[in-house]
PDB file of all heavy atoms in Angstrom:
ATOM      1  N   GLN A  14     116.958 -69.083  47.159  1.00  0.00           N
ATOM      2  CA  GLN A  14     116.712 -70.518  46.988  1.00  0.00           C
ATOM      3  C   GLN A  14     116.085 -70.808  45.632  1.00  0.00           C
ATOM      4  O   GLN A  14     116.309 -71.871  45.047  1.00  0.00           O
ATOM      5  CB  GLN A  14     115.853 -71.081  48.129  1.00  0.00           C
ATOM      6  CG  GLN A  14     114.419 -70.594  48.210  1.00  0.00           C
ATOM      7  CD  GLN A  14     113.465 -71.299  47.266  1.00  0.00           C
ATOM      8  OE1 GLN A  14     113.710 -72.438  46.861  1.00  0.00           O
ATOM      9  NE2 GLN A  14     112.381 -70.619  46.898  1.00  0.00           N
ATOM     10  N   ALA A  15     115.298 -69.864  45.108  1.00  0.00           N
ATOM     11  CA  ALA A  15     114.707 -70.060  43.786  1.00  0.00           C
ATOM     12  C   ALA A  15     115.764 -70.025  42.680  1.00  0.00           C
ATOM     13  O   ALA A  15     115.549 -70.562  41.600  1.00  0.00           O
ATOM     14  CB  ALA A  15     113.645 -68.993  43.522  1.00  0.00           C
ATOM     15  N   LEU A  16     116.907 -69.400  42.975  1.00  0.00           N
ATOM     16  CA  LEU A  16     117.963 -69.248  41.970  1.00  0.00           C
ATOM     17  C   LEU A  16     119.122 -70.217  42.181  1.00  0.00           C
ATOM     18  O   LEU A  16     120.094 -70.172  41.433  1.00  0.00           O
ATOM     19  CB  LEU A  16     118.508 -67.815  42.005  1.00  0.00           C
ATOM     20  CG  LEU A  16     117.517 -66.695  41.716  1.00  0.00           C
ATOM     21  CD1 LEU A  16     118.157 -65.339  41.991  1.00  0.00           C
ATOM     22  CD2 LEU A  16     117.039 -66.773  40.276  1.00  0.00           C
ATOM     23  N   VAL A  17     119.019 -71.100  43.175  1.00  0.00           N
ATOM     24  CA  VAL A  17     120.181 -71.879  43.593  1.00  0.00           C
ATOM     25  C   VAL A  17     120.738 -72.756  42.475  1.00  0.00           C
ATOM     26  O   VAL A  17     121.953 -72.918  42.338  1.00  0.00           O
ATOM     27  CB  VAL A  17     119.851 -72.714  44.857  1.00  0.00           C
ATOM     28  CG1 VAL A  17     118.877 -73.832  44.540  1.00  0.00           C
ATOM     29  CG2 VAL A  17     121.117 -73.255  45.494  1.00  0.00           C
ATOM     30  N   GLN A  18     119.866 -73.325  41.613  1.00  0.00           N
ATOM     31  CA  GLN A  18     120.359 -74.189  40.545  1.00  0.00           C
ATOM     32  C   GLN A  18     120.499 -73.447  39.221  1.00  0.00           C
ATOM     33  O   GLN A  18     120.601 -74.052  38.163  1.00  0.00           O
ATOM     34  CB  GLN A  18     119.449 -75.423  40.382  1.00  0.00           C
ATOM     35  CG  GLN A  18     118.200 -75.209  39.520  1.00  0.00           C
ATOM     36  CD  GLN A  18     117.054 -74.571  40.256  1.00  0.00           C
ATOM     37  OE1 GLN A  18     117.239 -73.783  41.168  1.00  0.00           O
ATOM     38  NE2 GLN A  18     115.844 -74.912  39.851  1.00  0.00           N
ATOM     39  N   ASP A  19     120.528 -72.090  39.291  1.00  0.00           N
ATOM     40  CA  ASP A  19     120.666 -71.245  38.104  1.00  0.00           C
ATOM     41  C   ASP A  19     119.612 -71.591  37.049  1.00  0.00           C
ATOM     42  O   ASP A  19     119.935 -71.973  35.920  1.00  0.00           O
ATOM     43  CB  ASP A  19     122.064 -71.385  37.504  1.00  0.00           C
ATOM     44  CG  ASP A  19     122.391 -70.275  36.511  1.00  0.00           C
ATOM     45  OD1 ASP A  19     121.777 -69.197  36.599  1.00  0.00           O
ATOM     46  OD2 ASP A  19     123.256 -70.490  35.636  1.00  0.00           O
ATOM     47  N   PRO A  20     118.332 -71.442  37.394  1.00  0.00           N
ATOM     48  CA  PRO A  20     117.250 -71.863  36.487  1.00  0.00           C
ATOM     49  C   PRO A  20     117.118 -70.954  35.274  1.00  0.00           C
ATOM     50  O   PRO A  20     117.504 -69.788  35.307  1.00  0.00           O
ATOM     51  CB  PRO A  20     116.003 -71.769  37.375  1.00  0.00           C
ATOM     52  CG  PRO A  20     116.336 -70.676  38.342  1.00  0.00           C
ATOM     53  CD  PRO A  20     117.800 -70.826  38.627  1.00  0.00           C
ATOM     54  N   LYS A  21     116.533 -71.506  34.220  1.00  0.00           N
ATOM     55  CA  LYS A  21     116.252 -70.707  33.023  1.00  0.00           C
ATOM     56  C   LYS A  21     114.964 -69.904  33.182  1.00  0.00           C
ATOM     57  O   LYS A  21     114.809 -68.842  32.588  1.00  0.00           O
ATOM     58  CB  LYS A  21     116.136 -71.624  31.798  1.00  0.00           C
ATOM     59  CG  LYS A  21     117.407 -72.340  31.420  1.00  0.00           C
ATOM     60  CD  LYS A  21     117.279 -72.994  30.048  1.00  0.00           C
ATOM     61  CE  LYS A  21     116.225 -74.069  30.028  1.00  0.00           C
ATOM     62  NZ  LYS A  21     116.120 -74.723  28.697  1.00  0.00           N
ATOM     63  N   LEU A  22     114.027 -70.439  33.981  1.00  0.00           N
ATOM     64  CA  LEU A  22     112.744 -69.782  34.234  1.00  0.00           C
ATOM     65  C   LEU A  22     112.575 -69.584  35.734  1.00  0.00           C
ATOM     66  O   LEU A  22     112.742 -70.520  36.509  1.00  0.00           O
ATOM     67  CB  LEU A  22     111.588 -70.628  33.689  1.00  0.00           C
ATOM     68  CG  LEU A  22     110.168 -70.198  34.084  1.00  0.00           C
ATOM     69  CD1 LEU A  22     109.828 -68.832  33.501  1.00  0.00           C
ATOM     70  CD2 LEU A  22     109.142 -71.249  33.630  1.00  0.00           C
ATOM     71  N   VAL A  23     112.240 -68.355  36.140  1.00  0.00           N
ATOM     72  CA  VAL A  23     111.999 -68.038  37.542  1.00  0.00           C
ATOM     73  C   VAL A  23     110.541 -67.612  37.689  1.00  0.00           C
ATOM     74  O   VAL A  23     110.097 -66.671  37.022  1.00  0.00           O
ATOM     75  CB  VAL A  23     112.935 -66.919  38.040  1.00  0.00           C
ATOM     76  CG1 VAL A  23     112.728 -66.673  39.526  1.00  0.00           C
ATOM     77  CG2 VAL A  23     114.394 -67.276  37.764  1.00  0.00           C
ATOM     78  N   VAL A  24     109.800 -68.311  38.548  1.00  0.00           N
ATOM     79  CA  VAL A  24     108.384 -68.027  38.780  1.00  0.00           C
ATOM     80  C   VAL A  24     108.240 -67.456  40.192  1.00  0.00           C
ATOM     81  O   VAL A  24     108.618 -68.114  41.168  1.00  0.00           O
ATOM     82  CB  VAL A  24     107.526 -69.291  38.616  1.00  0.00           C
ATOM     83  CG1 VAL A  24     106.054 -68.968  38.869  1.00  0.00           C
ATOM     84  CG2 VAL A  24     107.709 -69.880  37.216  1.00  0.00           C
ATOM     85  N   LEU A  25     107.692 -66.247  40.290  1.00  0.00           N
ATOM     86  CA  LEU A  25     107.609 -65.542  41.569  1.00  0.00           C
ATOM     87  C   LEU A  25     106.162 -65.132  41.838  1.00  0.00           C
ATOM     88  O   LEU A  25     105.577 -64.376  41.066  1.00  0.00           O
ATOM     89  CB  LEU A  25     108.499 -64.296  41.558  1.00  0.00           C
ATOM     90  CG  LEU A  25     109.960 -64.502  41.124  1.00  0.00           C
ATOM     91  CD1 LEU A  25     110.665 -63.150  41.000  1.00  0.00           C
ATOM     92  CD2 LEU A  25     110.683 -65.397  42.113  1.00  0.00           C
ATOM     93  N   ASP A  26     105.611 -65.640  42.930  1.00  0.00           N
ATOM     94  CA  ASP A  26     104.236 -65.306  43.301  1.00  0.00           C
ATOM     95  C   ASP A  26     104.275 -64.255  44.407  1.00  0.00           C
ATOM     96  O   ASP A  26     104.596 -64.548  45.559  1.00  0.00           O
ATOM     97  CB  ASP A  26     103.513 -66.566  43.787  1.00  0.00           C
ATOM     98  CG  ASP A  26     102.008 -66.375  43.903  1.00  0.00           C
ATOM     99  OD1 ASP A  26     101.519 -65.268  43.584  1.00  0.00           O
ATOM    100  OD2 ASP A  26     101.314 -67.321  44.317  1.00  0.00           O
ATOM    101  N   GLU A  27     103.961 -63.021  44.062  1.00  0.00           N
ATOM    102  CA  GLU A  27     103.974 -61.893  44.996  1.00  0.00           C
ATOM    103  C   GLU A  27     105.318 -61.784  45.736  1.00  0.00           C
ATOM    104  O   GLU A  27     105.373 -61.889  46.969  1.00  0.00           O
ATOM    105  CB  GLU A  27     102.831 -62.007  46.007  1.00  0.00           C
ATOM    106  CG  GLU A  27     101.440 -61.982  45.403  1.00  0.00           C
ATOM    107  CD  GLU A  27     101.040 -60.603  44.887  1.00  0.00           C
ATOM    108  OE1 GLU A  27     101.776 -59.641  45.162  1.00  0.00           O
ATOM    109  OE2 GLU A  27     100.019 -60.507  44.201  1.00  0.00           O
ATOM    110  N   PRO A  28     106.420 -61.557  45.021  1.00  0.00           N
ATOM    111  CA  PRO A  28     107.735 -61.533  45.683  1.00  0.00           C
ATOM    112  C   PRO A  28     107.925 -60.383  46.667  1.00  0.00           C
ATOM    113  O   PRO A  28     108.824 -60.448  47.503  1.00  0.00           O
ATOM    114  CB  PRO A  28     108.707 -61.405  44.502  1.00  0.00           C
ATOM    115  CG  PRO A  28     107.903 -60.763  43.419  1.00  0.00           C
ATOM    116  CD  PRO A  28     106.514 -61.317  43.579  1.00  0.00           C
ATOM    117  N   THR A  29     107.102 -59.341  46.577  1.00  0.00           N
ATOM    118  CA  THR A  29     107.254 -58.199  47.491  1.00  0.00           C
ATOM    119  C   THR A  29     106.117 -58.107  48.501  1.00  0.00           C
ATOM    120  O   THR A  29     105.929 -57.064  49.128  1.00  0.00           O
ATOM    121  CB  THR A  29     107.325 -56.884  46.695  1.00  0.00           C
ATOM    122  OG1 THR A  29     106.193 -56.800  45.823  1.00  0.00           O
ATOM    123  CG2 THR A  29     108.595 -56.821  45.861  1.00  0.00           C
ATOM    124  N   ALA A  30     105.361 -59.188  48.679  1.00  0.00           N
ATOM    125  CA  ALA A  30     104.230 -59.169  49.620  1.00  0.00           C
ATOM    126  C   ALA A  30     104.716 -58.925  51.042  1.00  0.00           C
ATOM    127  O   ALA A  30     105.578 -59.643  51.555  1.00  0.00           O
ATOM    128  CB  ALA A  30     103.473 -60.498  49.553  1.00  0.00           C
ATOM    129  N   GLY A  31     104.176 -57.894  51.692  1.00  0.00           N
ATOM    130  CA  GLY A  31     104.511 -57.595  53.076  1.00  0.00           C
ATOM    131  C   GLY A  31     105.879 -56.989  53.290  1.00  0.00           C
ATOM    132  O   GLY A  31     106.351 -56.909  54.422  1.00  0.00           O
ATOM    133  N   VAL A  32     106.537 -56.551  52.220  1.00  0.00           N
ATOM    134  CA  VAL A  32     107.890 -56.002  52.321  1.00  0.00           C
ATOM    135  C   VAL A  32     107.818 -54.477  52.335  1.00  0.00           C
ATOM    136  O   VAL A  32     107.018 -53.874  51.614  1.00  0.00           O
ATOM    137  CB  VAL A  32     108.755 -56.474  51.129  1.00  0.00           C
ATOM    138  CG1 VAL A  32     110.159 -55.909  51.211  1.00  0.00           C
ATOM    139  CG2 VAL A  32     108.806 -58.005  51.112  1.00  0.00           C
ATOM    140  N   ASP A  33     108.668 -53.829  53.150  1.00  0.00           N
ATOM    141  CA  ASP A  33     108.668 -52.371  53.211  1.00  0.00           C
ATOM    142  C   ASP A  33     109.262 -51.788  51.932  1.00  0.00           C
ATOM    143  O   ASP A  33     109.849 -52.509  51.113  1.00  0.00           O
ATOM    144  CB  ASP A  33     109.425 -51.869  54.443  1.00  0.00           C
ATOM    145  CG  ASP A  33     110.891 -52.292  54.456  1.00  0.00           C
ATOM    146  OD1 ASP A  33     111.504 -52.386  53.368  1.00  0.00           O
ATOM    147  OD2 ASP A  33     111.443 -52.518  55.543  1.00  0.00           O
ATOM    148  N   PRO A  34     109.107 -50.458  51.690  1.00  0.00           N
ATOM    149  CA  PRO A  34     109.581 -49.870  50.432  1.00  0.00           C
ATOM    150  C   PRO A  34     111.056 -50.115  50.127  1.00  0.00           C
ATOM    151  O   PRO A  34     111.428 -50.341  48.973  1.00  0.00           O
ATOM    152  CB  PRO A  34     109.281 -48.373  50.621  1.00  0.00           C
ATOM    153  CG  PRO A  34     108.107 -48.347  51.535  1.00  0.00           C
ATOM    154  CD  PRO A  34     108.316 -49.491  52.482  1.00  0.00           C
ATOM    155  N   GLU A  35     111.910 -50.083  51.149  1.00  0.00           N
ATOM    156  CA  GLU A  35     113.333 -50.305  50.897  1.00  0.00           C
ATOM    157  C   GLU A  35     113.587 -51.749  50.455  1.00  0.00           C
ATOM    158  O   GLU A  35     114.330 -52.007  49.506  1.00  0.00           O
ATOM    159  CB  GLU A  35     114.164 -49.985  52.136  1.00  0.00           C
ATOM    160  CG  GLU A  35     115.667 -50.121  51.893  1.00  0.00           C
ATOM    161  CD  GLU A  35     116.493 -49.672  53.088  1.00  0.00           C
ATOM    162  OE1 GLU A  35     115.896 -49.281  54.111  1.00  0.00           O
ATOM    163  OE2 GLU A  35     117.723 -49.716  53.002  1.00  0.00           O
ATOM    164  N   GLY A  36     112.955 -52.705  51.150  1.00  0.00           N
ATOM    165  CA  GLY A  36     113.094 -54.103  50.757  1.00  0.00           C
ATOM    166  C   GLY A  36     112.509 -54.355  49.379  1.00  0.00           C
ATOM    167  O   GLY A  36     113.051 -55.139  48.593  1.00  0.00           O
ATOM    168  N   SER A  37     111.401 -53.683  49.074  1.00  0.00           N
ATOM    169  CA  SER A  37     110.791 -53.810  47.762  1.00  0.00           C
ATOM    170  C   SER A  37     111.718 -53.305  46.669  1.00  0.00           C
ATOM    171  O   SER A  37     111.822 -53.908  45.591  1.00  0.00           O
ATOM    172  CB  SER A  37     109.470 -53.029  47.730  1.00  0.00           C
ATOM    173  OG  SER A  37     108.888 -53.075  46.453  1.00  0.00           O
ATOM    174  N   ARG A  38     112.415 -52.200  46.949  1.00  0.00           N
ATOM    175  CA  ARG A  38     113.360 -51.669  45.965  1.00  0.00           C
ATOM    176  C   ARG A  38     114.531 -52.637  45.757  1.00  0.00           C
ATOM    177  O   ARG A  38     114.995 -52.823  44.628  1.00  0.00           O
ATOM    178  CB  ARG A  38     113.865 -50.302  46.428  1.00  0.00           C
ATOM    179  CG  ARG A  38     114.942 -49.671  45.550  1.00  0.00           C
ATOM    180  CD  ARG A  38     114.471 -49.489  44.112  1.00  0.00           C
ATOM    181  NE  ARG A  38     113.330 -48.614  44.011  1.00  0.00           N
ATOM    182  CZ  ARG A  38     113.412 -47.302  43.811  1.00  0.00           C
ATOM    183  NH1 ARG A  38     114.587 -46.732  43.678  1.00  0.00           N
ATOM    184  NH2 ARG A  38     112.317 -46.576  43.714  1.00  0.00           N
ATOM    185  N   GLN A  39     114.990 -53.289  46.812  1.00  0.00           N
ATOM    186  CA  GLN A  39     116.072 -54.259  46.680  1.00  0.00           C
ATOM    187  C   GLN A  39     115.649 -55.445  45.822  1.00  0.00           C
ATOM    188  O   GLN A  39     116.414 -55.925  44.981  1.00  0.00           O
ATOM    189  CB  GLN A  39     116.514 -54.727  48.074  1.00  0.00           C
ATOM    190  CG  GLN A  39     117.214 -53.651  48.887  1.00  0.00           C
ATOM    191  CD  GLN A  39     117.452 -54.068  50.322  1.00  0.00           C
ATOM    192  OE1 GLN A  39     116.792 -54.962  50.840  1.00  0.00           O
ATOM    193  NE2 GLN A  39     118.416 -53.429  50.976  1.00  0.00           N
ATOM    194  N   ILE A  40     114.418 -55.918  46.033  1.00  0.00           N
ATOM    195  CA  ILE A  40     113.908 -57.024  45.229  1.00  0.00           C
ATOM    196  C   ILE A  40     113.738 -56.590  43.778  1.00  0.00           C
ATOM    197  O   ILE A  40     114.024 -57.347  42.850  1.00  0.00           O
ATOM    198  CB  ILE A  40     112.585 -57.550  45.826  1.00  0.00           C
ATOM    199  CG1 ILE A  40     112.863 -58.202  47.176  1.00  0.00           C
ATOM    200  CG2 ILE A  40     111.913 -58.536  44.880  1.00  0.00           C
ATOM    201  CD1 ILE A  40     111.629 -58.621  47.931  1.00  0.00           C
ATOM    202  N   ARG A  41     113.289 -55.360  43.565  1.00  0.00           N
ATOM    203  CA  ARG A  41     113.174 -54.838  42.203  1.00  0.00           C
ATOM    204  C   ARG A  41     114.526 -54.845  41.511  1.00  0.00           C
ATOM    205  O   ARG A  41     114.659 -55.220  40.334  1.00  0.00           O
ATOM    206  CB  ARG A  41     112.617 -53.420  42.230  1.00  0.00           C
ATOM    207  CG  ARG A  41     112.343 -52.836  40.843  1.00  0.00           C
ATOM    208  CD  ARG A  41     112.643 -51.364  40.772  1.00  0.00           C
ATOM    209  NE  ARG A  41     114.057 -51.084  40.965  1.00  0.00           N
ATOM    210  CZ  ARG A  41     114.622 -49.915  40.741  1.00  0.00           C
ATOM    211  NH1 ARG A  41     113.892 -48.910  40.312  1.00  0.00           N
ATOM    212  NH2 ARG A  41     115.902 -49.723  40.947  1.00  0.00           N
ATOM    213  N   ASP A  42     115.573 -54.439  42.232  1.00  0.00           N
ATOM    214  CA  ASP A  42     116.918 -54.431  41.656  1.00  0.00           C
ATOM    215  C   ASP A  42     117.374 -55.850  41.304  1.00  0.00           C
ATOM    216  O   ASP A  42     118.057 -56.066  40.296  1.00  0.00           O
ATOM    217  CB  ASP A  42     117.906 -53.785  42.623  1.00  0.00           C
ATOM    218  CG  ASP A  42     117.672 -52.290  42.786  1.00  0.00           C
ATOM    219  OD1 ASP A  42     116.996 -51.705  41.914  1.00  0.00           O
ATOM    220  OD2 ASP A  42     118.137 -51.713  43.788  1.00  0.00           O
ATOM    221  N   LEU A  43     116.996 -56.827  42.141  1.00  0.00           N
ATOM    222  CA  LEU A  43     117.328 -58.215  41.836  1.00  0.00           C
ATOM    223  C   LEU A  43     116.629 -58.677  40.561  1.00  0.00           C
ATOM    224  O   LEU A  43     117.217 -59.387  39.740  1.00  0.00           O
ATOM    225  CB  LEU A  43     116.923 -59.114  43.004  1.00  0.00           C
ATOM    226  CG  LEU A  43     117.788 -59.045  44.260  1.00  0.00           C
ATOM    227  CD1 LEU A  43     117.160 -59.858  45.384  1.00  0.00           C
ATOM    228  CD2 LEU A  43     119.188 -59.558  43.975  1.00  0.00           C
ATOM    229  N   LEU A  44     115.376 -58.276  40.391  1.00  0.00           N
ATOM    230  CA  LEU A  44     114.638 -58.643  39.187  1.00  0.00           C
ATOM    231  C   LEU A  44     115.269 -58.019  37.947  1.00  0.00           C
ATOM    232  O   LEU A  44     115.364 -58.658  36.889  1.00  0.00           O
ATOM    233  CB  LEU A  44     113.181 -58.210  39.313  1.00  0.00           C
ATOM    234  CG  LEU A  44     112.356 -58.922  40.394  1.00  0.00           C
ATOM    235  CD1 LEU A  44     110.953 -58.334  40.471  1.00  0.00           C
ATOM    236  CD2 LEU A  44     112.289 -60.413  40.133  1.00  0.00           C
ATOM    237  N   LEU A  45     115.712 -56.771  38.070  1.00  0.00           N
ATOM    238  CA  LEU A  45     116.389 -56.123  36.946  1.00  0.00           C
ATOM    239  C   LEU A  45     117.701 -56.832  36.618  1.00  0.00           C
ATOM    240  O   LEU A  45     118.082 -56.944  35.451  1.00  0.00           O
ATOM    241  CB  LEU A  45     116.649 -54.645  37.270  1.00  0.00           C
ATOM    242  CG  LEU A  45     115.411 -53.739  37.316  1.00  0.00           C
ATOM    243  CD1 LEU A  45     115.791 -52.344  37.802  1.00  0.00           C
ATOM    244  CD2 LEU A  45     114.754 -53.656  35.941  1.00  0.00           C
ATOM    245  N   ASP A  46     118.380 -57.327  37.649  1.00  0.00           N
ATOM    246  CA  ASP A  46     119.619 -58.074  37.430  1.00  0.00           C
ATOM    247  C   ASP A  46     119.339 -59.381  36.699  1.00  0.00           C
ATOM    248  O   ASP A  46     120.082 -59.774  35.794  1.00  0.00           O
ATOM    249  CB  ASP A  46     120.311 -58.345  38.765  1.00  0.00           C
ATOM    250  CG  ASP A  46     121.661 -59.021  38.598  1.00  0.00           C
ATOM    251  OD1 ASP A  46     122.595 -58.344  38.110  1.00  0.00           O
ATOM    252  OD2 ASP A  46     121.780 -60.216  38.923  1.00  0.00           O
ATOM    253  N   LEU A  47     118.258 -60.067  37.073  1.00  0.00           N
ATOM    254  CA  LEU A  47     117.867 -61.290  36.377  1.00  0.00           C
ATOM    255  C   LEU A  47     117.553 -61.001  34.913  1.00  0.00           C
ATOM    256  O   LEU A  47     117.893 -61.782  34.022  1.00  0.00           O
ATOM    257  CB  LEU A  47     116.644 -61.916  37.050  1.00  0.00           C
ATOM    258  CG  LEU A  47     116.841 -62.518  38.440  1.00  0.00           C
ATOM    259  CD1 LEU A  47     115.509 -63.004  38.997  1.00  0.00           C
ATOM    260  CD2 LEU A  47     117.849 -63.660  38.406  1.00  0.00           C
ATOM    261  N   LYS A  48     116.920 -59.865  34.686  1.00  0.00           N
ATOM    262  CA  LYS A  48     116.579 -59.460  33.319  1.00  0.00           C
ATOM    263  C   LYS A  48     117.846 -59.249  32.486  1.00  0.00           C
ATOM    264  O   LYS A  48     117.926 -59.685  31.335  1.00  0.00           O
ATOM    265  CB  LYS A  48     115.741 -58.182  33.372  1.00  0.00           C
ATOM    266  CG  LYS A  48     115.201 -57.710  32.042  1.00  0.00           C
ATOM    267  CD  LYS A  48     114.274 -56.513  32.258  1.00  0.00           C
ATOM    268  CE  LYS A  48     113.664 -56.045  30.949  1.00  0.00           C
ATOM    269  NZ  LYS A  48     112.719 -54.919  31.171  1.00  0.00           N
TER     270      LYS A  48
END
């Protein structure tokens, strides 16, 4: 939902809070893709 309008700036407050290691790795991969 944060990416729905294809923003130029993405602000994430604790995006991996409460997420298990596998989910955390998936979110990390998404961040690398944004980069």
